[in-house]
Each structure stands twice: as structure tokens, then as C-alpha cells.
Amino acid sequence: MNFSQTIIRWYNKNKRDLPWRHTNDPYKIWLSEIILQQTRVQQGLPYYETFVKKFPTVHHLAKAKEDVVMKTWQGLGYYSRARNLHHSAKFISKELKGIFPKEFDEIKKLKGIGEYTAGAIASFAFNKPHPVVDGNVFRVIARYFAITTQIDSTEGKKEFTRKAELLLDKKIPGIFNQAIMEFGAMQCVPQNPDCEKCPLKKSCKALAKSMVSSLPIKSKKNKIQTRYFNYFVIRRNGKILIKKRIENDIWKNLYDFPMIETKKEILPPLSRLLSEPLHRMELVGSDASLIERLGGVSIISVSKSFKHILSHQVIFARFWEVAESEHKKFIVNGTEINDGVYISESQLNKFPFPRLIEKYFDAKASKN
Ligand code: SF4
């Protein structure tokens, strides 16, 4: 039995029962593939089910309001995936009359779809002979053939894609692609794979050369950026001020609070953050629990620092609770930061927030 036959046989015996494996509907396969980018199956599964229920067809997704799509995506991270999904759904619904493109090159033109996802949709939904090379496939191929080329180099990407093309079972490309991905996810796992149980153990070169734990090889290490966010949680008449993030930055189109980003951590008192003479400041004390009055604006409290880790960034956020006695422009360092909407706490669940803001609300709720 050759590599492909062995992998497919293993897949038929061991595959997980996942809902997107019971459909040929390209819309649902597309949804699942976008959700599963950078996301583990266990985390992505409930999101897939909610999306399919809320937006059963591409027309439903296209017609949905952006806030509703972002809210449904909340907690999954990499929010550009949701924005691109929505954008492409509108395009398919309107320009393509709801008919999903069948050809790899046409699929790849959709926003948010690269080589990998186009190959997955073309092969899973339309049985087109395109290889898919995700992290799992890189690992299986690198180990099975003991390839030491860096998987994130241009040369590596070409070499591994060529190998995957050669291995591809052209009669059943969809099944083969799913099989090799599942094999990497379940059997040839990143740490300590159980090679003794592996059906490929007799021909696996990495196993023969004791190279399993050192493959695949990656060149780049993620450069981690540290950022400091100073949020102003402004309350007036029982309502809270939120604003939409519209900059090309993390969490675009999600909501948070007016915020100043600083190059280092700023500890209370507020005088360190605010510049004179925009506010007359009467500093009562430097302790976070003390009240600092700024005309009609009072700092009620300052939170502890919340640490939030993303793939390329670590964010330290502090929440400055502000009460406004009257409608007042809140100006910091010459910029008006009062650019949002006041909502009641009961409306919070209608708006999509990043996980960091949810953590803050959770911490508040557990204190009350
Ligand atoms: S023998 Fe081990 S390293 Fe080789 S393919 Fe199987 S699980 Fe992966």
C-alpha cells in the first residue's frame, strides 16, 4: 500500500465526525475553513454551528448587519476573517447570484481566501485536484520524507506544495486532502506522536533517522510587540460610552472604550496621562481608589493592569472609570475622545467586543 492509500485507509477508520464532513455545500465548507484558520476544531465547532443556524445560506450572511456578524464571531479572534467573510458573502450573493465559484482561481479571488483555503474548497466541495498544505500537512510531509527545508521559506512552500501535488490522489482529491490533514491533526501531532501505532512507521524517514522531534523546521520566530492601552470607561446617567474601532489595527469594527495608547505603562494618578491646561485638576490622592476631580468629570477608580496575549502582541490595559455629571467633551492631549455612543448595560450584549473588554466586564461583575 502506498502513502496515499495508507493515509486514506487510516482516515476512514479514525476520522472525527465533524458536521462539515457531511456536506458538499461550498458555502458551509467555506464557513468551516475560515473558522478553522488559526483555530482549534473544539473551539471552532460551536461557532460553525451558530453561523450555519443564524445564516443558513450565503444570502442570509450577505444581508446580515455587520455588527451582528462581528458579534457572532466574538471571542474567536483574528476578526479580519469575519469582515472578509461578510464582504465575500455580499459579493457572491449579489454579483454571482448566490452561486459559489467552482474553479480554484475564481475561488482564490474572493477576499480572505488564499491558496490553502481555495484548494480546500475546490477539492472538498467540487472534487477538483488541488493540494492543500496547512500546518498539519507540512508536518506530515516534512517527517515522512525527512525534509529539512524551512517550511516558512519561499523555497519550502514550493517544495512542500510540489510534494503534496505528487501525493494527491487525483480520483478522490477531497478525501485525500481531508485524510492527510486529519492524519497530521490526530496521529502525526506536533509533540510526541505515537509512532509505534503509526501505519506509516515502516517507511517514515524521520522515524528511521530519529528526526521526528526536530521536524518540521521553521525559520522565523514571531516578533512580539508590547502595547499599553489606557481605557476610559465613561459613565453618564447610568449609561456607558463605547466606540467602534475603525482604524486599521487589531479588532477593527469591534467596540471598546475611548483609549489612549502609551509607549509605557502609566500608573495612577491621571495627571500622568492628561495634559494641562485642558482640565483643571484637583488631585486628591495618588491611590487608585481615591477620587480625582476634573471639572464635571470624576475618576472613580482605576483597574489593575489586564494582560492580554495575542499571537504577535501582548497588551497591558488599564481601565480608568470616569463618571460625567453632565455632557462634557472629554479631551485628552488635545484630542476629543468622546466619539462614541452611550448605551445601557443591558445593551452590552448587542455589540461585539474584543475578549479583553469582556474580561474587564467579567472582573467588574465578579466584584459586584
Ligand atoms: S511514524 Fe511518527 S513521525 Fe512518522 S508519520 Fe508516523 S507519526 Fe509521523
Side-chain angles (χ1 to χ4, degrees), residues 3 7 139-145 183-184 187-189 192-208 211-213 215:
F3 176 92
I7 290 266
R139 188 168 55 255
V140 173
I141 294 180
R143 287 177 175 167
Y144 186 74
F145 295 100
F183 187 81
Q187 168 61 40
C188 194
V189 293
N192 306 318
D194 189 352
C195 297
E196 263 316 297
K197 275 199 192 152
C198 179
L200 294 172
K201 69 177 177 185
K202 285 196 182 131
S203 45
C204 174
K205 290 207 172 112
L207 185 63
M211 290 170 71
V212 174
S213 60
L215 292 173

Side-chain angles (χ1 to χ4, degrees), residues 105-119:
D105 291 335
E106 294 303 311
I107 299 170
K108 220 180 113 192
K109 281 186 197 155
L110 298 171
K111 211 170 173 188
I113 295 192
E115 292 274 321
Y116 161 76
T117 309

Side-chain angles (χ1 to χ4, degrees), residues 27 54-55 57-69 85-87 89-91 93-94:
Y27 166 68
K54 254 188 183 174
F55 317 113
T57 68
V58 73
H59 299 298
H60 290 87
L61 182 57
K63 275 188 210 143
K65 285 199 172 127
E66 183 188 78
D67 276 357
V68 175
V69 176
L85 197 65
H86 196 206
H87 178 98
K90 286 182 192 166
F91 175 78
S93 173
K94 210 172 156 207

